[in-house]
Amino acid sequence: MTKRDLILNTMQELFQEGIAGTASVNDIAKRAGIAKGGLYYYFHSKEEVMDALVEREYETIISHCRELLDKSSLNALDKLALLLHTYTGSYVDPSLDEYLHLPQNAAIHQKSLAHILVSLSSLVTDILKQGNEEGTFTCDYPEEYSEILLSVFTFLMDPGIFSWSKEQVFRKLKALSTMLEAGLCCAPGSFSFLYK
């Protein structure tokens, strides 16, 4: 394990113990068993450690999604369903998730949402291009459709930002599926996997 990973693992432990918010750089270094200067070799501040931890947490999810798609021989619609179900069903450390949703951490939360959107967007773009080749979709703007679709899942459906009822979530996903079916020239019901 690298020292960088040791620092991130230590920070994750502090989150799980509920004391990451009050821990100083000195506390993190001491807990990791390294000199304070050793921490500063990898990170310039506690905020950078937090940013890196959040990025690592979500990169694990994104890598898992990418691996599943790379191994898959599914058609475009089934691949998209697989990707969205995998992403939305992924485990995120609850202590880290809770920390991100605190009002004072809005900037790091926003960065994490942008990172997820950009990273997953290339995967969705490839799926939409595959759908064009298969004749499943007619999409002149696969990259833009990807970003719009993912903005729903990374922002609008984030329970830490919005407290939608189950009925509201259902209606939003039903509306999204109708929009995608019309916009991508798919048969009605093609995107029903979004709300079922």
Side-chain angles (χ1 to χ4, degrees):
M1 175 186 332
T2 67
K3 273 191 183 175
R4 185 179 192 279
D5 285 328
L6 176 63
I7 294 163
L8 294 179
N9 290 349
T10 300
M11 192 67 184
Q12 190 157 25
E13 288 171 14
L14 294 171
F15 270 112
Q16 291 165 350
E17 293 170 21
I19 56 174
T22 58
S24 67
V25 168
N26 198 45
D27 295 332
I28 299 164
K30 188 176 179 180
R31 173 71 80 88
I34 61 172
K36 190 174 175 180
L39 187 144
Y40 280 124
Y41 177 79
Y42 295 96
F43 303 101
H44 293 102
S45 66
K46 177 182 168 181
E47 289 70 31
E48 276 192 21
V49 177
M50 291 181 182
D51 281 348
L53 179 60
V54 170
E55 188 173 317
R56 183 179 78 169
E57 182 87 3
Y58 285 107
E59 194 52 48
T60 302
I61 294 167
I62 292 160
S63 295
H64 178 63
C65 290
R66 188 177 293 116
E67 286 170 21
L68 281 177
L69 293 177
D70 286 346
K71 293 176 186 174
S72 168
S73 58
L74 297 170
N75 65 42
L77 266 172
D78 290 340
K79 265 190 184 176
L80 192 55
L82 174 65
L83 172 64
L84 293 174
H85 285 303
T86 301
Y87 169 69
T88 57
S90 295
Y91 173 83
V92 176
D93 184 327
S95 59
L96 184 59
D97 196 45
E98 182 181 330
Y99 179 82
L100 286 174
H101 289 101
L102 294 173
Q104 65 267 30
N105 299 326
I108 190 172
H109 188 212
Q110 184 178 2
K111 275 196 273 185
S112 71
L113 296 178
H115 176 73
I116 295 163
L117 190 144
V118 169
S119 299
L120 287 180
S121 186
S122 64
L123 301 178
V124 176
T125 298
D126 289 344
I127 293 170
L128 294 180
K129 287 178 179 177
Q130 177 186 334
N132 276 340
E133 291 169 12
E134 293 171 352
T136 309
F137 305 138
T138 302
C139 184
D140 294 331
Y141 306 101
E143 196 171 305
E144 292 74 13
Y145 264 76
S146 299
E147 292 164 350
I148 292 166
L149 172 62
L150 289 169
S151 67
V152 170
F153 288 96
T154 58
F155 178 72
L156 188 64
M157 293 299 166
D158 186 322
I161 299 173
F162 298 103
S163 299
W164 307 120
S165 68
K166 285 184 181 182
E167 176 62 23
Q168 288 172 312
V169 169
F170 173 80
R171 290 177 59 81
K172 287 174 193 340
L173 293 177
K174 180 92 165 143
L176 176 63
S177 70
T178 303
M179 289 168 58
L180 289 170
E181 288 159 5
L184 297 173
C185 304
C186 298
S190 297
F191 280 85
S192 62
F193 65 83
L194 290 176
Y195 54 86
K196 286 188 175 173

